[in-house]
Amino acid sequence: QRPEGLDVHARIALDLGERGWSLCEDFLPPLLVSQLLSEARELWQGGGFRPAGVGRGQKFEVRPEVRNDWVRWLDARACSGAQQLYLNALEALRLALNRQLYLGLFEYEGHLAVYRPGSYYRKHLDRFEGSGLRTLSCILYLNSGWHYADGGQLRIYTDPDNPERYREVLPFGGRLVCFYSDRFLHQVMPARRSRFSITGWFKQRT
């Protein structure tokens, strides 16, 4: 039984400690989520995104058979006021998780993501091969008025010994999903309308 009165950071830490993933409703105030969505839409309409790829460095390549979303990386030195407030909230979460779970998280990297109708991301892990940097994946959804019929679920495979067991999370605005990057295969199911989020990772030193 979960203790009553836990703050949002403590609830996320408890979930991560018990099962390795957490779903938090209303991580940010609704007005801030709305501002982030408006900015993302404006950037998208202005051509500010590029096709997402897989791999990194010399292994980076655009492979639409694997994923066909579009992204715009966040730059902490040139972010909007709304984006800075989100980064501040993540920094408070990082410090709390380090205190409670001793994770040694030291840095965040993230991007805005747009999935156009029909877009997807096939089953994958978030940690690059041969690199232990990405430790905790965090996804904030920005969508307003999202309905079950709109699709676009994040499907998290919660049992590594049973590929048929998974949890589906609809991308309702304000939801924050966190999970260990090297433990959970996951995929983004096709949506029927444009789907906006901020996807990022807390990293450890290797």
Side-chain angles (χ1 to χ4, degrees):
Q1 184 71 26
R2 172 181 297 220
E4 296 294 330
L6 291 177
D7 66 22
V8 62
H9 297 153
R11 295 199 308 269
I12 293 173
L14 185 62
D15 287 341
L16 291 173
E18 288 182 348
R19 64 191 183 190
W21 63 274
S22 177
L23 172 60
C24 176
E25 307 287 357
D26 302 321
F27 181 72
L28 296 180
L31 180 58
L32 180 53
V33 175
S34 178
Q35 290 175 316
L36 290 167
L37 175 61
S38 295
E39 291 178 359
R41 281 178 170 160
E42 186 174 340
L43 288 166
W44 170 249
Q45 292 165 358
F49 286 67
R50 62 174 177 77
V54 297
R56 62 173 183 164
Q58 294 182 338
K59 294 185 177 180
F60 176 86
E61 56 182 334
V62 175
R63 295 183 58 191
E65 76 278 10
V66 175
R67 64 183 298 189
N68 55 1
D69 56 316
W70 292 62
V71 300
R72 178 186 176 94
W73 287 91
L74 297 177
D75 182 351
R77 299 163 298 180
C79 61
S80 69
Q83 291 171 357
Q84 187 60 59
L85 288 174
Y86 178 52
L87 294 178
N88 292 347
L90 287 178
E91 175 64 8
L93 176 61
R94 181 186 74 84
L95 294 173
L97 294 180
N98 280 348
R99 285 195 302 269
Q100 297 179 53
L101 300 177
Y102 307 103
L103 294 180
L105 307 175
F106 82 99
E107 186 180 44
Y108 171 84
E109 64 176 3
H111 58 64
L112 293 159
V114 178
Y115 286 78
R116 297 175 296 177
S119 295
Y120 53 80
Y121 194 160
R122 304 297 188 201
K123 189 187 297 188
H124 65 285
L125 285 174
D126 278 349
R127 181 171 285 187
F128 290 120
E129 185 177 348
S131 170
L133 284 174
R134 287 183 176 178
T135 301
L136 190 69
S137 302
C138 299
I139 308 164
L140 176 74
Y141 296 113
L142 306 178
N143 310 289
S144 62
W146 198 270
H147 300 286
Y148 286 92
D150 295 326
Q153 304 96 323
L154 173 70
R155 180 177 289 182
I156 305 174
Y157 293 86
T158 55
D159 185 349
D161 298 320
N162 183 356
E164 300 302 316
R165 291 191 64 181
Y166 55 80
R167 171 71 182 268
E168 288 195 336
V169 179
L170 281 159
F172 296 144
R175 278 185 165 176
L176 181 76
V177 183
C178 303
F179 53 89
Y180 286 114
S181 304
D182 63 340
R183 283 177 52 183
F184 295 98
L185 287 163
H186 56 286
Q187 66 186 107
V188 177
M189 310 302 289
R192 297 178 179 85
R193 51 180 279 211
S194 293
R195 174 190 186 278
F196 290 85
S197 63
I198 303 178
T199 298
W201 306 268
F202 286 117
K203 299 191 292 186
Q204 292 175 331
R205 292 182 174 88
T206 55

